[in-house]
Amino acid sequence: MRSPRSFWAALTLLLVGVAFAALAAWSMVARSTIPLALDGTVTSIELRHEKHPGVDDVWMVGFDDDGPRHLDRAVAALLTEGDRVRKDAWSRTLVVDGETHDVALSDDARRMLVLAPVVGGAFAVLLVAGSRRP
Amino acid sequence: MNASSWPRPTLTLSLVLVVLVGVSYGVLFPDRTDYLGHFLAGAGGTFWLLAIVVELDRNSRWPVVYGVLAAVLLGVFTEATVFRLAEFDPVDLANQSLGAVFAGFGMVDGRPYDRSAGIAGVAGLALLVAGFAYAFS
């Protein structure tokens, strides 16, 4: 037997949880540039350090048509200030000053694409358990 | 022991899943212990908050959801201020919020008389300490 009030509360939690699992996966995938459409000139490349320099470094790349973006180190390494960059959304080819480069998901992005559905499944299990009458 | 006494299945399951997902973070991201740290700290801090919510409100279903949302917003604030190092990192926010949601599931059917608050307090403290240790180690 289920309590409708518990079910809706648990369903709300599930939706919030799935949204954040998607946010984590999307943020990591976007750093590869694969889902992004780019058409502009690189205006800045900045290396910022986090808690563990060399491990969790942040590469911020600015474009003339947009603010700085956090990109994967492998992508940032292809770029220098002044480069003209063009890329179609969901293409794995990045054109830098007329030269093509392949881009790929980082290991972290691939792993998060594994973990996010697992977490969503865990939330689904808890939804069923949490919507039962105590 | 009545039906609502410890071990309450949802809280037990939630804690077990926090540990299993935490192990998954550790296996999948061995170099990024900060991801695991944010996840555990999000769960631990929210368990603490919800321990108070459950004690204050006997009809604690939606207040638990509001408590989770408050914990998420607190995470947004801390990530944007004291823990903002290189940038406001949406991955850090997501990881700690996932932990908060697990805590919410664990407490959504908690009641003042079923010892949920005590268990959540102890587990939350352990998770919070582990979270900070992993985040800054």
Side-chain angles (χ1 to χ4, degrees):
Chain A
M1 182 179 296
R2 298 177 190 283
S3 163
R5 297 170 70 192
S6 284
F7 173 79
W8 290 112
L11 181 62
T12 303
L13 289 174
L14 178 128
L15 294 175
V16 172
V18 168
F20 278 110
L23 174 64
W26 170 262
S27 298
M28 288 186 173
V29 170
R31 290 170 186 173
S32 72
T33 71
I34 288 175
L36 306 179
L38 299 173
D39 187 6
T41 301
V42 176
T43 56
S44 64
I45 301 175
E46 182 184 2
L47 170 60
R48 299 179 186 175
H49 294 296
E50 272 268 0
K51 294 179 284 290
H52 307 101
V55 176
D56 52 3
D57 295 339
V58 173
W59 289 87
M60 302 297 292
V61 178
F63 295 90
D64 57 354
D65 62 342
D66 200 1
R69 292 177 178 275
H70 180 172
L71 299 182
D72 288 336
R73 178 173 53 187
V75 178
L78 301 172
L79 306 173
T80 54
E81 288 187 24
D83 282 347
R84 176 76 182 167
V85 176
R86 186 167 53 80
K87 182 184 170 301
D88 295 327
W90 300 107
S91 166
R92 288 177 177 255
T93 300
L94 180 70
V95 181
V96 182
D97 280 345
E99 186 175 346
T100 60
H101 300 272
D102 291 335
V103 290
L105 293 177
S106 67
D107 288 343
D108 277 1
R110 279 195 288 267
R111 291 165 183 163
M112 187 55 80
L113 288 173
V114 172
L115 183 61
V118 169
V119 171
F123 289 150
V125 170
L126 285 163
L127 170 69
V128 174
S131 60
R132 293 183 184 282
R133 190 185 298 278
Chain B
M1 180 177 289
N2 63 42
S4 60
S5 296
W6 180 260
R8 191 163 53 75
T10 313
L11 181 53
T12 307
L13 182 59
S14 169
L15 288 170
V16 169
L17 288 173
V18 165
V19 172
L20 290 178
V21 172
V23 169
S24 299
Y25 269 99
V27 170
L28 290 170
F29 303 101
D31 297 330
R32 297 303 304 263
T33 57
D34 53 319
Y35 291 169
L36 171 60
H38 279 91
F39 173 73
L40 295 178
T46 307
F47 267 122
W48 261 22
L49 176 63
L50 297 182
I52 298 170
V53 170
V54 165
E55 283 299 305
L56 293 178
D57 192 333
R58 299 181 69 86
N59 189 19
S60 53
R61 290 187 175 100
W62 286 105
V64 165
V65 176
Y66 303 145
V68 170
L69 296 177
V72 168
L73 289 176
L74 184 62
V76 172
F77 175 76
T78 56
E79 189 64 26
T81 55
V82 291
F83 294 126
R84 180 170 184 153
L85 301 176
E87 63 162 346
F88 179 96
D89 191 345
V91 176
D92 288 346
L93 172 65
N95 289 330
Q96 64 203 32
S97 299
L98 291 174
V101 171
F102 273 105
F105 273 114
M107 299 296 282
V108 76
D109 60 353
R111 296 292 180 274
Y113 48 79
D114 67 4
R115 288 188 281 172
S116 291
I119 298 296
V122 172
L125 178 62
L127 291 169
L128 204 52
V129 169
F132 272 89
Y134 278 112
F136 291 100
S137 65

